[in-house]
Amino acid sequence: YVYGTIHIIGSDDYFLPKGTLSAIDAADEVIFEIDMNEMTDMTSQMGLLKDIFMNDDKSLKDLLSDEDYKVVSAHFEKMGLPLFMFERMKPMFLTVFASTDFDPSGLQNGSMKSYEFEFFEMAAKSGKPVSGLETIAFQMGIFDKIPYDKQAEMLVESIKNSDIGGSELAEMVQVYKNQNIDAMVSMISDDDSGMGDYEDILVDGRNKNWIPLMMDKMKMKQIFFAVGAGHLGGKNGVINLLKDQGYTLTPLSNTNGTPKSN
């Protein structure tokens, strides 16, 4: 089973398409982009903390004009997140918090949910093993392949788009609720922030790396794969790449003819 997730979503928008729970129940193992055991292990998190920050003592002030720095600072101040706390953090990590719809304490207070954490808890309760297609260290390394100044530009554009044109997160959530995986791919490609310029690094290359790992796992037992929905559609998406290997993929359910995200 292949399920497309959205990593953070408001609790009111969270839903499970028909067949999700039975698919998880039928699986022998649940596999995420990264091993959720590693995600929840404090020792692993502390060991990777240094990878969140830029090298050579770089800071956002080094990368942005005074005008753009004020835009970013004002945005985070409005969210109750003083920018001085994040000065040296890689800008792409900050982009995660840039949406006006993002609540930093949402997972703790219940206003937001993570599909990964929800599925991880389901697997734990039923005693199913979990694993990942990548390590946290690998994902951290992806950000080092994109120049810091480009990351900073993406951050500024993301904030400006959010402030003047509505929330990108809200738009992404609506597309996700419509279960239109091809539209999610288009959103990444057409992203005004410039993220689409690095689609091969952020999405396509990773998809191609996953296929042989998925094939090996599927030979041994029944698997429930849960990866970001933006990885599923398109020419270089997981679904098409599996078809290229001779697999037949059947949607478990449809809405008005639009492919479901599972």
Side-chain angles (χ1 to χ4, degrees):
Y1 299 95
V2 180
Y3 189 102
T5 69
I6 188 168
H7 301 314
I8 297 289
I9 193 170
S11 295
D12 292 340
D13 292 313
Y14 174 81
F15 72 105
L16 295 176
K18 181 181 178 181
T20 303
L21 296 179
S22 59
I24 293 175
D25 186 57
D28 300 309
E29 182 177 355
V30 178
I31 298 180
F32 301 94
E33 290 184 28
I34 56 176
D35 189 341
M36 294 299 292
N37 287 312
E38 189 180 8
M39 267 291 291
T40 56
D41 180 69
M42 188 59 68
T43 302
S44 297
Q45 291 180 27
M46 293 301 292
L48 291 165
L49 192 60
K50 67 181 187 306
D51 295 320
I52 295 175
F53 299 100
M54 291 184 277
N55 299 321
D56 303 322
D57 291 324
K58 286 278 187 184
S59 71
L60 274 178
K61 281 188 176 179
D62 299 324
L63 302 171
L64 298 174
S65 66
D66 290 342
E67 181 181 352
D68 283 344
Y69 184 83
K70 288 177 182 177
V71 169
V72 176
S73 181
H75 184 85
F76 281 92
E77 288 283 353
K78 187 168 62 178
M79 296 179 69
L81 299 170
L83 192 57
F84 75 86
M85 298 172 60
F86 310 104
E87 277 283 352
R88 292 189 53 239
M89 191 176 288
K90 293 173 183 175
M92 284 200 70
F93 284 103
L94 292 179
T95 303
V96 175
F97 307 117
S99 169
T100 53
D101 283 356
F102 182 81
D103 178 359
S105 60
L107 291 177
Q108 284 73 40
N109 64 31
S111 65
M112 306 197 84
K113 284 182 178 287
S114 160
Y115 277 89
E116 283 78 9
F117 280 112
E118 293 296 319
F119 293 157
F120 179 60
E121 289 184 5
M122 291 179 194
K125 286 179 181 177
S126 59
K128 297 182 188 295
V130 302
S131 58
L133 297 168
E134 298 172 341
T135 63
I136 296 180
F138 175 83
Q139 288 202 350
M140 293 285 194
I142 291 173
F143 297 122
D144 290 325
K145 296 180 180 180
I146 301 175
Y148 294 150
D149 59 338
K150 294 296 183 183
Q151 293 187 33
E153 289 176 16
M154 292 180 198
L155 172 62
V156 173
E157 286 305 310
S158 180
I159 289 173
K160 287 180 178 179
N161 291 339
S162 176
D163 289 345
I164 66 174
S167 171
E168 289 182 359
L169 177 60
E171 184 181 354
M172 179 70 77
V173 167
Q174 189 55 55
V175 170
Y176 183 77
K177 290 172 70 175
N178 292 339
Q179 299 169 70
N180 189 337
I181 56 176
D182 289 323
M184 296 200 77
V185 174
S186 297
M187 283 190 70
I188 296 172
S189 301
D190 300 337
D191 188 357
D192 291 335
S193 72
M195 197 169 293
D197 296 338
Y198 296 94
E199 192 172 355
D200 186 56
I201 294 173
L202 296 170
V203 183
D204 294 351
R206 295 167 64 203
N207 294 347
K208 293 171 185 176
N209 290 340
W210 292 348
I211 300 305
L213 300 174
M214 295 174 73
M215 291 171 63
D216 285 344
K217 284 286 188 179
M218 288 188 284
K219 289 175 184 176
M220 296 183 287
K221 50 188 174 181
Q222 191 147 285
I223 306 293
F224 183 92
F225 294 100
V227 300
H231 290 276
L232 298 188
K235 177 183 176 182
N236 295 310
V238 167
I239 289 175
N240 196 54
L241 292 176
L242 285 173
K243 287 180 178 179
D244 287 345
Q245 294 298 321
Y247 288 91
T248 299
L249 288 90
T250 305
L252 289 182
S253 54
N254 284 293
T255 301
N256 298 324
T258 300
K260 285 276 189 178
S261 57
N262 59 324

